[in-house]
Amino acid sequence: MTEVISVRFRGGSKTYFFDPRGIQVRMGENVIVQTAQGLEFATCTQGNHEVADELIVKPLSAIVRRATENDFRVVEYNRKREREAFDICEGKIAEHGLEMKLVNVSVGFDSNKIVFYFTADGRVDFRELVRDLASVFRARIELRQIGVRDEAKMIGGLGICGRPFCCAQFLDGFLPVSIKMAKTQNLSLNPTKISGTCGRLMCCLKYEQNAYEDAAKRMPKVESFVQTPDGPGNVKGVELLRERVKVSLDSAPESLKTYHACEIKVLRNGKGSREGIEIPERTARFVEEREEEELLQPVFSTSYYTDDHLAEAPRREKMGVEGDGKPRHRHRGGRGRKGPRFDGQPASAQQMPKKQGGQASRPPKQQSRPEGQKEERPAGENKRRRQPYGGGRRWNKGGDSSKT
């Protein structure tokens, strides 16, 4: 085991091991390390830890020191030079008429080397361009041609998923991706849907490829002859992740039925003839175990309210519950009603509120008539009249209505 620290350079996602030489470095600190290109400014991604000897490429480079305030000022000055060098190089490229696109400029920590990254369709003769740049910057000039994937990694951006590019966030290197992966995952072969911003196939196609390949080994192929709980048929579609198949039954070929992988028995995998294939008994159905869901009681059910609920007067008034635990129905106008009110007494026993001036809102109850004596009413007045509790209109049976 060897004690190392892991560092990452600017614009890269790959980590490198360096010998700490007894210096305790914490994650997130900036250090100056010695590389084959000279001194470089890096960020520690993992502090002092031990790794196996076979994971180290010897000789192991060492760190020089922790970054100081002067080192941060040097880095800021180099970033300013990079912006100036980018504008100057673009002007020189236009002067020489070269068919190349400048992508990025990197200035070394010691300012002795400047690297220009560009993309081009083919080979470009940039010897004259290098001489002009060397005379301007008085440093070692290097022009490096990169691909469209490296361009997307340097520039960065958002993918069609809405997240930053994987290559610019965490990928150590570019994964090999092929169109066969899209076919295995049953994706659309439309290039605009399976290609990234760089114009190449999306790197995320590789993430779930192993799971799809493992599922494909257990699932039948399309046009396979299978036995189902409803009889024999041919497979017309396969859902690898859900492990389901769509089968066209011999008894009903016009419609497709979906079955779980454990419900079918493969009699012939892939296309072919059915001759000589013995059809076994129908397979059992797959029953998914589900927990019984608890049914919620209605909020306004009388069984929902307990003594504790009814003891809260404000809530009882708000929810519409009477003092005896029964729902209250409010009537506005119209005919009067009989039955229990707030105190459970009949409506006739209630004292009606009085209006201003001391007059009752309803006439007093008349004395009972002697037995056999009829009530005498003026001519034209109806025999029956009802007065509503809530005011409004007095409805006369067979006559006109009048306002109170």
Side-chain angles (χ1 to χ4, degrees):
M1 303 293 287
T2 305
E3 184 182 9
V4 298
I5 63 170
S6 301
V7 301
R8 180 179 295 175
F9 298 99
R10 181 177 69 98
S13 302
K14 190 174 182 179
T15 58
Y16 299 88
F17 295 142
F18 283 86
D19 183 7
R21 297 177 61 180
I23 302 176
Q24 295 295 326
V25 183
R26 294 179 298 178
M27 183 179 63
E29 292 184 343
N30 299 107
V31 293
I32 306 299
V33 297
Q34 183 68 40
T35 64
Q37 307 297 332
L39 297 179
E40 290 293 341
F41 184 87
T43 303
C44 178
T45 58
Q46 188 175 1
N48 299 58
H49 62 282
E50 293 184 351
V51 296
D53 295 336
E54 56 268 14
L55 300 178
I56 299 175
V57 179
K58 297 183 178 181
L60 187 64
S61 301
I63 67 172
V64 178
R65 63 180 182 273
R66 292 193 184 93
T68 61
E69 294 182 1
N70 186 41
D71 295 333
F72 284 101
R73 286 194 291 268
V74 172
V75 171
E76 185 63 26
Y77 174 72
N78 291 338
R79 300 295 178 268
K80 183 179 179 181
R81 291 192 62 190
E82 289 175 357
R83 292 190 292 268
E84 296 176 354
F86 190 92
D87 297 336
I88 295 174
C89 184
E90 280 190 333
K92 295 294 183 179
I93 291 174
E95 291 179 4
H96 291 276
L98 300 177
E99 295 181 358
M100 53 189 295
K101 176 185 176 183
L102 186 63
V103 176
N104 195 13
V105 180
S106 176
V107 178
F109 179 76
D110 51 9
S111 302
N112 293 331
K113 181 180 179 180
I114 304 178
V115 182
F116 295 87
Y117 299 93
F118 70 95
T119 58
D121 295 336
R123 296 178 60 88
V124 180
D125 186 5
F126 48 75
R127 290 176 293 181
E128 294 295 333
L129 177 62
V130 172
R131 296 191 185 97
D132 292 348
L133 295 176
S135 61
V136 173
F137 298 105
R138 302 293 181 179
R140 181 183 174 185
I141 303 299
E142 180 179 347
L143 269 72
R144 188 175 301 176
Q145 185 174 357
I146 60 176
V148 290
R149 283 191 168 185
D150 297 288
E151 179 185 4
K153 181 177 181 179
M154 289 184 177
I155 298 176
L158 299 178
I160 59 175
C161 59
R163 296 182 57 85
F165 295 157
C166 299
C167 56
Q169 289 291 111
F170 57 88
L171 289 182
D172 295 341
F174 293 107
L175 305 175
V177 185
S178 62
I179 195 67
K180 182 180 178 181
M181 297 181 181
K183 295 180 180 179
T184 304
Q185 300 176 24
N186 295 328
L187 299 178
S188 173
L189 300 182
N190 189 352
T192 59
K193 294 184 178 181
I194 60 177
S195 299
T197 309
C198 59
R200 300 293 187 267
L201 294 176
M202 294 186 296
C203 298
C204 55
L205 294 178
K206 181 67 176 178
Y207 298 164
E208 301 177 357
Q209 180 63 19
N210 295 335
Y212 276 95
E213 291 178 353
D214 181 67
K217 297 178 182 178
R218 303 190 303 269
M219 300 296 292
K221 298 180 181 179
V222 180
E223 296 299 335
S224 298
F225 182 46
V226 295
Q227 175 67 297
T228 68
D230 299 325
N234 290 340
V235 177
K236 297 299 181 181
V238 179
E239 299 178 5
L240 294 180
L241 293 184
R242 296 182 178 181
E243 296 191 0
R244 296 179 181 178
V245 293
K246 295 181 179 180
V247 181
S248 175
L249 300 176
D250 295 346
S251 58
E254 64 279 355
S255 60
L256 301 180
K257 300 196 71 174
T258 304
Y259 298 94
H260 196 270
C262 62
E263 292 182 305
I264 63 173
K265 183 176 182 181
V266 181
L267 306 180
R268 186 202 67 231
N269 195 8
K271 297 181 180 180
S273 176
R274 296 188 181 184
E275 296 181 1
I277 299 178
E278 182 180 356
I279 301 178
E281 297 181 358
R282 297 184 179 184
T283 58
R285 293 188 180 274
F286 172 72
V287 179
E288 185 177 0
E289 297 181 359
R290 297 182 179 179
E291 297 181 357
E292 296 182 358
E293 299 180 355
E294 297 182 359
L295 298 179
L296 299 178
Q297 296 181 353
V299 176
F300 292 97
S301 175
T302 56
S303 61
Y304 174 81
Y305 298 98
T306 61
D307 295 339
D308 297 337
H309 291 83
L310 298 177
E312 302 176 2
R315 177 168 183 174
R316 184 174 69 247
E317 292 290 338
K318 183 176 181 180
M319 302 301 294
V321 180
E322 304 290 354
D324 56 355
K326 296 182 179 180
R328 183 179 71 248
H329 302 278
R330 295 183 177 180
H331 292 261
R332 297 182 180 275
R335 296 184 178 181
R337 65 178 176 86
K338 299 180 181 180
R341 294 176 66 86
F342 294 101
D343 54 358
Q345 299 179 359
S348 60
Q350 300 282 336
Q351 291 184 358
M352 303 304 295
K354 296 184 178 181
K355 298 181 180 180
Q356 295 181 359
Q359 296 180 358
S361 60
R362 59 176 296 182
K365 187 176 181 180
Q366 298 179 0
Q367 299 294 333
S368 59
R369 298 186 300 275
E371 185 178 356
Q373 183 179 356
K374 296 184 180 180
E375 180 183 4
E376 297 181 0
R377 295 177 180 271
E381 188 175 358
N382 295 319
K383 296 182 179 180
R384 186 178 182 183
R385 178 182 297 175
R386 289 185 180 181
Q387 181 178 359
Y389 293 165
R393 294 178 178 272
R394 294 181 179 176
W395 298 95
N396 302 324
K397 185 176 181 181
D400 298 333
S401 60
S402 60
K403 297 184 180 179
T404 57

